[in-house]
Amino acid sequence: MTEEQVILTVRTYIEKQFPKECKNCGYRYGSLKEYLQKTTHIGEPHSYDAEFEDWQPRKPLGTYSFADCKCGNTLVIGSSRMKVATMLCLLWWAKKEKAKRGITINELLTDLRKKIDAQVLSEGR
């Protein structure tokens, strides 16, 4: 996979998680763009499989990104329902890419999130 394919795959998967509702205040985020505009990221995205250096898990634990809702509740976007084959391709790419760039997996995931966020927020201005 190329970085562009990874970004497209991840973005497409994330966008299918919308609309998304805060279970605390009931606010409904109609799209990924609205979610990015009205929430604040908390820390770096985190891959539990990569943390355990399990690059070919039978049952992936997943990758998650956390954000604060306007009410202060923590919201999560994750890969828990992604097809295992897709997740394995992404993990394999991430393993190779982090080694190639000489960075941590969290730095790689943060870079990808920034690129996806920039794409989404720049559209439809």
Side-chain angles (χ1 to χ4, degrees):
M1 292 182 98
T2 65
E3 182 175 287
E4 292 76 22
Q5 290 170 320
V6 168
I7 288 171
L8 178 62
T9 300
V10 172
R11 179 180 173 178
T12 300
Y13 178 78
I14 292 169
E15 287 179 326
K16 289 180 181 175
Q17 295 182 39
F18 290 87
K20 184 174 192 65
E21 187 173 302
C22 175
K23 294 192 184 336
N24 186 54
C25 70
Y27 188 84
R28 186 174 183 261
Y29 298 92
S31 66
L32 176 57
K33 185 172 186 173
E34 180 183 11
Y35 179 85
L36 294 173
Q37 290 170 330
K38 296 187 177 184
T39 64
T40 304
H41 290 306
I42 303 171
E44 298 175 315
H46 190 78
S47 170
Y48 291 94
D49 303 294
E51 177 183 339
F52 296 115
E53 295 190 20
D54 189 357
W55 303 105
Q56 294 184 329
R58 286 187 176 184
K59 293 183 180 179
L61 299 172
T63 301
Y64 299 90
S65 181
F66 303 91
D68 278 332
C69 177
K70 61 183 187 165
C71 73
N73 190 42
T74 301
L75 304 171
V76 181
I77 291 179
S79 64
S80 62
R81 295 185 182 188
M82 184 177 278
K83 292 180 182 177
V84 173
T86 303
M87 191 68 191
L88 293 177
C89 286
L90 293 171
L91 281 167
W92 183 249
W93 177 86
K95 178 183 179 184
K96 291 189 312 183
E97 196 65 23
K98 79 175 192 72
K100 180 175 135 186
R101 295 187 193 187
I103 60 176
T104 67
I105 193 69
N106 286 358
E107 290 170 325
L108 177 63
L109 294 174
T110 298
D111 181 58
L112 291 173
R113 181 174 70 186
K114 285 179 183 176
K115 289 175 179 175
I116 292 170
D117 291 0
Q119 269 186 6
V120 172
L121 292 170
S122 71
E123 293 172 356
R125 285 187 175 177

